[in-house]
Amino acid sequence: MVRAFLLPFCCAWLLAPLSSVAAEDQGRPNGDGPPPWHIIGQDEQATSSRCIGRPETPLCAVETLLACFERARPDLCRMVDDDTEQYAAVFNAPPDPTKYLAYRIVVERSAAATSDTEIVIDQQEMTSGQSIGAVTGTSSAFMLRRQSDGRWKVVGWGDPEN
């Protein structure tokens, strides 16, 4: 099961009843149009997130995990996922400096009675200079849980259909 998902995720560079909160209306007047794209590049200057490595929110934990794969930095994985040994084979090769990850938040759902959150994203691996177009990548769902110290951890991720 993990292998079946891990291989496509690595190639793509990823990513109880819950009340739904539509894809945060970041940068969308009146929530119209598709959600905006965000970028995770090889370094902080080529990245739209300013919280990678600081999993203080569910989205920051997801961005930290995505940056772990994009930058081939297992230390970032360990910050947000307790089951990081499953990723050992992913980091055999160095990251491709011409690639970046474009992603957008499709849905964020939080359970009112618990500290669990689900974030679903669309993602696509891009080459430097390539424009972000229609979604041609994959979608991933991340389950997150708030820890007693206030940080967020990824407790599961995979295909949103499963």
Side-chain angles (χ1 to χ4, degrees):
M1 168 66 181
V2 172
R3 285 184 187 172
F5 180 74
L6 187 56
L7 184 59
F9 179 82
C10 296
C11 295
W13 291 95
L14 295 172
L15 310 149
L18 302 171
S19 63
S20 180
V21 176
E24 300 177 353
D25 295 331
Q26 306 165 355
R28 295 187 297 152
N30 303 323
D32 295 337
W37 288 98
H38 304 279
I39 304 297
I40 294 182
Q42 296 300 314
D43 57 36
E44 199 170 302
Q45 291 74 31
T47 301
S48 56
S49 173
R50 295 295 170 239
C51 64
I52 291 171
R54 294 188 336 258
E56 299 160 352
T57 67
L59 181 57
C60 290
V62 168
E63 290 175 330
T64 297
L65 186 66
L66 294 173
C68 158
F69 290 104
E70 188 63 29
R71 299 174 183 174
R73 296 235 348 245
D75 61 309
L76 293 175
C77 283
R78 283 190 287 276
M79 284 182 182
V80 295
D81 189 343
D82 291 332
D83 192 20
T84 58
E85 294 310 312
Q86 66 180 321
Y87 310 128
V90 175
F91 303 110
N92 287 338
D96 183 341
T98 67
K99 302 287 184 179
Y100 69 93
L101 180 73
Y103 71 96
R104 63 182 176 189
I105 303 162
V106 177
V107 174
E108 183 170 340
R109 293 182 271 251
S110 299
T114 69
S115 57
D116 290 352
T117 295
E118 177 186 36
I119 295 178
V120 177
I121 65 167
D122 287 335
Q123 63 197 32
Q124 51 185 310
E125 185 179 41
M126 310 295 288
T127 301
S128 295
Q130 184 180 5
S131 297
I132 302 169
V135 176
T136 57
T138 59
S139 295
S140 297
F142 298 86
M143 288 301 302
L144 301 115
R145 183 164 294 136
R146 187 178 187 105
Q147 305 298 294
S148 59
D149 64 2
R151 294 180 302 138
W152 288 83
K153 290 270 188 165
V154 176
V155 295
W157 48 271
D159 186 339
E161 302 301 317
N162 294 331

